[in-house]
Amino acid sequence: MTGSGPHGRIIKADVDKAQPASPQAKAAAAAPASAPAAAAAPREHKSLEQMGIAPGSYDLIPLDGMRKTVARRMTDSFRDVPHFPLTIDIEIDELLAARAKINGLLEKTGVKVSVNDIVMKACAVALMKVPEANASYSPEGIAMHHHADIAMAVAIPGGLITPIIRKAETKGLAQIATEAKDLAARARDKKLKPEEFQGGTFSVSNLGMFGIRTFASILNEPQGCILSVGAGEKRPVVKGDQIVIANVMSVTLTCDHRVVDGAVGARFLAAFKEMLEEPLRMIV
């Protein structure tokens, strides 16, 4: 308030003419002079009508608890975790031949090993070879996990869930295939126990069966990495001085840069690539 009296004094007329301060101004005045600038306010969520969608032109499906949880977790992860992708191409002719032979040996047991089962086993072995990639960030320090607990993304009505193959580095392909099939079935029936989908040290998301060639996933906290697996397809590759046709699969590793840097991510992918291109390395 500016005074209009002698020597700038505030008089009754000044008070009578003064306008009440806005709530924002009052808050600013009450803040200590040394206080840092306030953080940006959360983005205001507008209605569809406010964003130009005509009323009555859509059907609204209410959000259930799972969809709300997935939306919150993915928003938090994408906003708060500094992550980056690394992509590599892998020739999988040897993998496909090994899978066919393995399934022939398992035919009488009724167990069938999928490419994704082999991918999860290869991830587990590679994490043991590059333990820095099997880690989680926390404010107290970097957690170096003792085992490779591989979470696999499973699409279910209303969202996504990630059941976990615990200690995958200690299990054979037949056991991983059996557990993965059981966990996926119970996930779709919403019969998983919390300990079967909470935690994990590393995630695998496979969209190859939908024809997706390459993609990058959002990190599933507190895991330090997630591997996105694309479709295997015939592509021309250079071998020596010749162009030949090979089955190639692209994978992308998304890393939490607070715990896994580019060099560690690259070393993990190199170890993983070796496992898939020469599957016998998984048991050596």
Side-chain angles (χ1 to χ4, degrees):
M1 184 182 296
T2 301
S4 60
H7 306 292
R9 292 176 181 173
I10 296 174
I11 60 177
K12 182 176 183 298
D14 298 325
V15 175
D16 291 339
K17 291 187 293 182
Q19 297 294 323
S22 68
Q24 292 83 355
K26 290 180 180 178
S34 59
R43 181 172 67 94
E44 179 184 353
H45 289 281
K46 297 181 179 180
S47 69
L48 294 177
E49 284 76 10
Q50 289 175 316
M51 293 187 285
I53 304 297
S57 66
Y58 59 89
D59 295 324
L60 192 65
I61 302 173
L63 298 174
D64 61 14
M66 175 172 290
R67 180 62 73 180
K68 289 180 180 178
T69 299
V70 169
R72 175 181 55 79
R73 284 176 57 84
M74 293 298 96
T75 299
D76 290 347
S77 177
F78 198 79
R79 180 189 63 230
D80 299 334
V81 178
H83 54 274
F84 66 95
L86 298 170
T87 300
I88 195 168
D89 293 335
I90 300 172
E91 292 183 32
I92 58 170
D93 291 295
E94 293 294 330
L95 180 153
L96 296 176
R99 174 178 176 253
K101 190 170 184 178
I102 290 167
N103 283 333
L105 295 172
L106 294 174
E107 187 173 1
K108 293 181 179 179
T109 68
V111 176
K112 190 171 183 180
V113 173
S114 69
V115 169
N116 205 53
D117 297 328
I118 300 175
V119 164
M120 289 191 289
K121 175 64 176 181
C123 284
V125 177
L127 288 172
M128 295 298 102
K129 291 181 176 293
V130 188
E132 301 92 332
N134 194 34
S136 297
Y137 174 85
S138 76
E140 294 76 32
I142 305 302
M144 304 295 293
H145 301 293
H146 298 162
H147 296 287
D149 296 332
I150 308 296
M152 57 177 189
V154 177
I156 61 174
L160 184 75
I161 198 165
T162 52
I164 301 163
I165 306 291
R166 302 282 180 184
K167 299 181 180 180
E169 80 281 3
T170 68
K171 297 174 179 176
L173 286 171
Q175 186 176 357
I176 289 175
T178 300
E179 288 189 23
K181 183 178 179 180
D182 171 65
L183 287 167
R186 289 192 291 115
R188 296 185 183 99
D189 293 336
K190 297 187 177 181
K191 293 182 179 179
L192 290 178
K193 301 173 184 177
E195 61 268 22
E196 291 179 312
F197 63 87
Q198 293 179 354
T201 68
F202 187 97
S203 282
V204 172
S205 179
N206 192 334
L207 292 178
M209 68 287 293
F210 299 109
I212 302 300
R213 185 174 186 176
T214 183
F215 68 106
S217 300
I218 298 174
L219 282 164
N220 184 19
E221 291 189 276
Q223 298 162 22
C225 296
I226 182 170
L227 187 74
S228 307
V229 182
E233 59 184 3
K234 291 187 180 297
R235 300 183 200 170
V237 299
V238 177
K239 291 189 177 183
D241 293 327
Q242 294 184 330
I243 296 177
V244 299
I245 301 299
N247 284 289
V248 178
M249 180 174 73
S250 296
V251 301
T252 298
L253 183 72
T254 302
C255 308
D256 180 346
H257 213 323
R258 299 171 301 178
V259 59
V260 177
D261 61 25
V264 170
R267 286 197 290 117
F268 168 83
L269 283 176
F272 175 74
K273 179 183 174 78
E274 285 185 348
M275 302 295 163
L276 291 196
E277 293 192 338
E278 296 184 40
L280 285 177
R281 289 181 178 272
M282 283 186 273
I283 59 175
V284 174

